[in-house]
Amino acid sequence: MKPINSNDLKKEVRELIAGGEDPYSVALFGITTKYLLESQTKIDFGFFELLDEVDVIAGSPSSFEGDEGPYLELLALYYLIARNTLTFSQGVNWMTHLTPDQRQVILSWPKNYVLSVFDLIIKDDLVLHKDLKTGKEYLMDYSPEDIGLPEDKLNIRLLTIIVPTEKNYLSAMPIFLPLDDLSLAKIKRSPSKQEYELALLIECSNFLDAQAEDNWENEEFLPEDVGFYPANRKFGESDKDFARRLLLQSKFFQDFPYHTHAEALMIKVVQTFPQLFFSTSNAHALLEAVEILFTKAKFNKMDFELMSDELAFFWCLLIKEHLPREVEALAPYLVPDKFDDQPF
């Protein structure tokens, strides 16, 4: 869930850094998100000019939702470090939890960023981005587990912005872009750095538009049927009977090898959040969340990007926040993802 104002964001940034998160990743998130939050109350015409140059249509910079969200966030970061460095510097100064050395590294991003299309290279536990314009390889500050890879893991090309940290490089949210060699060769002939960057952004915009059109044409327009799974307690029903009845609504848990442990967790959920179980509430998202907790040991950065607005993910975070010991106790009983091909 994204912060609703700058004060909430500042608190979240402080907690992330105090909790040991990488300060450069937090800064990248914080500075860009601060700009987007402020764009809800004031219009930056310079950013709209950039959107127009790369053929992106957006109602406002605050409308960063849906499939286009990561690309629009990438554009916002590019705008700040390439065209509006004053606002970027103000964002850095707003990050009061950085050390002086960290602040100087981040202030250097407008001079040292690289926006390009990269080959993704994974060597053991290392991730490298090879710039297809210059051939230079950059060692990244994250592991292969932090990347959500496409099914075809060969010849992965991605568009992103990378910026230096103290030792290696940090990447903004990447856009997987299947750019062919001929198109890349044409773009590489751009006479200036800015024109090269704009050509890549336009190519990415056209690719995303084409994908959206394909999805629209293939859409069957059938109503989504997730089913209604009653989440109300019957009169006189015990916690154990209620938890068991909830779990029996899920095919995943009907033949689950660790059903006793799932039942114990559900009992704690029922006892901890009694106000969330009533006659018109749907247990579908809760059942999906408990399934996720038994199939996924931890969430990475990509999970938060892709699932932050999903109700089942909210249930996962709610349970992990209020029942941390119970969730930790599930570790010996995790099963492979897709334990059942049709969980519901």
Side-chain angles (χ1 to χ4, degrees):
M1 184 177 297
K2 290 186 177 180
I4 58 174
N5 58 49
S6 293
N7 289 332
D8 292 332
L9 176 62
K10 196 160 194 173
K11 179 181 178 182
E12 181 173 347
V13 165
R14 182 188 304 114
E15 292 175 350
L16 287 171
I17 293 179
E21 292 293 331
D22 173 55
Y24 298 105
S25 297
V26 175
L28 194 66
F29 158 76
I31 295 168
T32 306
T33 305
K34 175 180 182 293
Y35 172 74
L36 298 179
L37 287 172
E38 292 176 346
S39 72
Q40 297 180 20
T41 56
K42 61 181 180 181
I43 296 176
D44 185 342
F45 289 101
F47 183 65
F48 278 93
E49 289 177 2
L50 174 62
L51 296 182
D52 183 60
E53 288 179 54
V54 299
D55 298 326
V56 169
I57 299 174
S60 72
S62 62
S63 303
F64 281 39
E65 298 179 359
D67 296 337
E68 299 81 8
Y71 179 55
L72 289 172
E73 291 183 19
L74 183 73
L75 289 175
L77 175 62
Y78 175 70
Y79 172 70
L80 289 174
I81 61 178
R83 299 196 177 185
N84 192 345
T85 54
L86 175 60
T87 299
F88 176 76
S89 298
Q90 292 170 347
V92 178
N93 292 332
W94 173 82
M95 294 278 299
T96 55
H97 320 295
L98 300 170
T99 67
D101 288 343
Q102 291 166 351
R103 191 179 306 278
Q104 287 305 309
V105 171
I106 296 169
L107 286 171
S108 76
W109 287 355
K111 292 182 179 179
N112 297 320
Y113 78 89
V114 180
L115 186 153
S116 191
V117 60
F118 301 87
D119 268 341
L120 181 64
I121 302 172
I122 297 178
K123 297 179 179 178
D124 298 324
D125 293 329
L126 301 178
V127 176
L128 298 97
H129 286 3
K130 181 179 179 181
D131 188 347
L132 292 181
K133 181 183 181 184
T134 64
K136 184 175 180 179
E137 294 184 359
Y138 298 89
L139 181 60
M140 308 306 296
D141 264 343
Y142 52 86
S143 65
E145 289 74 23
D146 295 326
I147 309 173
L149 296 177
E151 292 183 6
D152 182 6
K153 297 178 175 57
L154 297 177
N155 301 319
I156 296 176
R157 289 183 171 178
L158 51 87
L159 173 75
T160 190
I161 297 171
I162 64 172
V163 290
T165 60
E166 291 176 1
K167 295 182 179 179
N168 302 319
Y169 280 79
L170 175 69
S171 168
M173 184 71 176
I175 310 295
F176 295 102
L177 183 65
L179 189 64
D180 61 83
D181 291 335
L182 179 59
S183 299
L184 178 61
K186 292 179 180 178
I187 294 174
K188 286 169 66 175
R189 291 200 294 266
S190 301
S192 69
K193 180 176 184 290
Q194 184 181 55
E195 289 177 280
Y196 170 73
E197 294 167 345
L198 284 176
L200 284 178
L201 292 172
I202 292 170
E203 184 74 24
C204 186
S205 178
N206 292 338
F207 169 69
L208 295 175
D209 285 345
Q211 276 194 319
E213 288 178 8
D214 289 342
N215 292 338
W216 176 268
E217 291 173 358
N218 295 328
E219 180 62 57
E220 295 181 2
F221 297 103
L222 296 176
E224 183 181 7
D225 182 16
V226 299
F228 183 79
Y229 300 80
N232 60 307
R233 185 196 292 262
K234 295 180 180 180
F235 181 75
E237 192 171 33
S238 68
D239 291 342
K240 183 174 182 179
D241 289 341
F242 182 31
R244 180 176 298 171
R245 183 166 59 82
L246 287 172
L247 288 171
L248 285 176
Q249 297 182 92
S250 165
K251 292 181 180 179
F252 180 89
F253 287 109
Q254 288 175 7
D255 299 314
F256 189 59
Y258 305 116
H259 193 277
T260 301
H261 301 281
E263 188 178 288
L265 176 63
M266 186 64 80
I267 290 173
K268 292 296 295 186
V269 171
V270 168
Q271 293 172 341
T272 306
F273 310 107
Q275 69 275 24
L276 298 181
F277 297 93
F278 49 93
S279 60
T280 56
S281 62
N282 192 341
H284 179 275
L286 168 60
L287 292 169
E288 186 178 354
V290 176
E291 176 184 334
I292 292 172
L293 291 173
F294 274 96
T295 57
K296 195 172 186 64
K298 63 180 180 178
F299 301 122
N300 59 35
K301 188 184 303 182
M302 187 66 68
D303 294 324
F304 281 90
E305 290 285 347
L306 297 179
M307 300 193 297
S308 62
D309 60 346
E310 294 185 10
L311 185 55
F313 191 63
F314 168 78
W315 264 109
C316 284
L317 299 181
L318 188 69
I319 294 170
K320 287 169 69 71
E321 177 72 21
H322 293 275
L323 299 171
R325 293 182 180 178
E326 287 78 1
V327 173
E328 289 178 6
L330 302 182
Y333 310 107
L334 298 183
V335 298
D337 199 6
K338 304 301 182 185
F339 167 76
D340 189 301
D341 290 335
Q342 294 180 331
F344 289 94

